[in-house]
Amino acid sequence: MIRLVDVHKAFGPKRVLEGFTLDVNEGETMVIIGYSGTGKSVAIKHIVGLLEPDSGTVFVDGQEVPRLSRAELYALRSHIGYVFQFAALFDSLSIGENVAMGLRKEGGHTEREIVQRVGEALELVDLPGVEEKFPAELSGGMRKRVGIARAIARQPKYLLYDEPTTGLDPVTSAIIDQLMIRMREKLGVTSIVITHDMRSAYTVGSRIAMLYEGKVRQVGTVDEIQHTRDPVVRQFIEGKPDLDLVEAGV
Ligand SMILES: Nc1ncnc2c1ncn2[C@@H]1O[C@H](COP(=O)(O)OP(=O)(O)OP(=O)(O)O)[C@@H](O)[C@H]1O
Ligand SMILES: [Mg+2]
């Protein structure tokens, strides 16, 4: 279980998180939605200790992340796959080496094991046999899938996806959605998915949380969010440009 408890985080004078609280249960896919720049990426970076809260705290499986030693943090990170917002593959490394990176860093695997795990991960994202290719040879959607393969190669218990479908066409996005569902169903992974894409949110989410002004504005099932009476959440999910204008019927 992942718990963010009353997390506050500012960068200089800019207050980003101001009491962010969210529980993610075993086996669920929690979708985080919210306007650009509200701190969605900042929030999930706290889960893997890439950022430390100014106050409040974060627990993963009962371990308090900001209190972990460096060694404990590395051990924790081996259970958490992270698909970064800007899927940074290393252009000079083959796809196979990109996917193997976490396994190599972790150590303790034979070359055979690594090759096998990389092959399995690429198969799970429907890209079998691309080990020898280089990132430049793949489309944006394929690169996103390699990013997912890299995150799952260590067989993590948790997967954090930061905008996995942004910038992709609808069909490719739907493929990524199906992959995320497959990770949950086949591997029993617990996930957090950040997205702007409401269609994707409704497809993959067990629950949806909206981040607004530093806090979770509402968290609920897909059905609860779709039927929300909160005007702020409504406005976001319906993609309306301005609440006042809409209400005035302009
Ligand atoms: N390391 C950092 N140092 C300074 N400011 C930061 C840092 N990381 C994030 N910020 C600021 O925190 C705010 C929230 O950023 P964040 O990337 O979490 O937004 P987001 O909700 O993920 O947006 P988007 O949907 O565009 O990805 C932004 O104003 C950003 O500039
Ligand atoms: Mg972001």
Side-chain angles (χ1 to χ4, degrees), residues 188-202:
V189 176
T190 303
S191 308
I192 298 180
V193 180
I194 296 177
T195 188
H196 287 119
D197 176 350
M198 289 314 301
R199 192 198 41 74
S200 174
Y202 296 147

Side-chain angles (χ1 to χ4, degrees), residues 231-232 240 242-250:
V232 169
K240 292 195 177 145
D242 188 301
L243 189 61
D244 294 331
L245 293 178
V246 171
E247 282 187 339
V250 178

Side-chain angles (χ1 to χ4, degrees), residues 41 85 162-163:
S41 297
Q85 181 165 7
D162 197 344
E163 308 217 3

Side-chain angles (χ1 to χ4, degrees), residues 74-143:
Y74 284 138
L76 175 82
R77 284 181 189 164
S78 71
H79 304 297
I80 305 176
Y82 195 143
V83 182
F84 289 94
Q85 181 165 7
F86 305 104
L89 300 179
F90 289 88
D91 287 332
S92 61
L93 295 180
S94 69
I95 299 303
E97 282 309 312
N98 267 287
V99 175
M101 218 152 43
L103 289 168
R104 291 204 193 285
K105 216 189 267 172
E106 187 175 80
H109 302 285
T110 65
E111 198 53 33
R112 252 185 86 171
E113 269 169 10
I114 291 176
V115 169
Q116 193 185 339
R117 290 258 205 115
V118 168
E120 284 169 3
L122 285 170
E123 245 168 62
L124 272 166
V125 299
D126 290 327
L127 286 175
V130 300
E131 283 90 335
E132 304 303 322
K133 290 195 189 296
F134 282 83
E137 299 175 69
L138 304 184
S139 70
M142 288 163 107
R143 262 180 279 177

Side-chain angles (χ1 to χ4, degrees), residues 34-75:
Y35 293 100
S36 195
T38 48
K40 302 179 299 295
S41 297
V42 165
I44 66 165
K45 283 179 184 163
H46 284 82
I47 297 167
V48 287
L50 287 173
L51 289 173
E52 277 193 31
D54 299 330
S55 68
T57 194
V58 180
F59 295 95
V60 176
D61 292 339
Q63 284 191 298
E64 194 171 355
V65 179
R67 289 176 178 269
L68 297 180
S69 68
R70 197 133 277 276
E72 289 168 331
L73 193 56
Y74 284 138

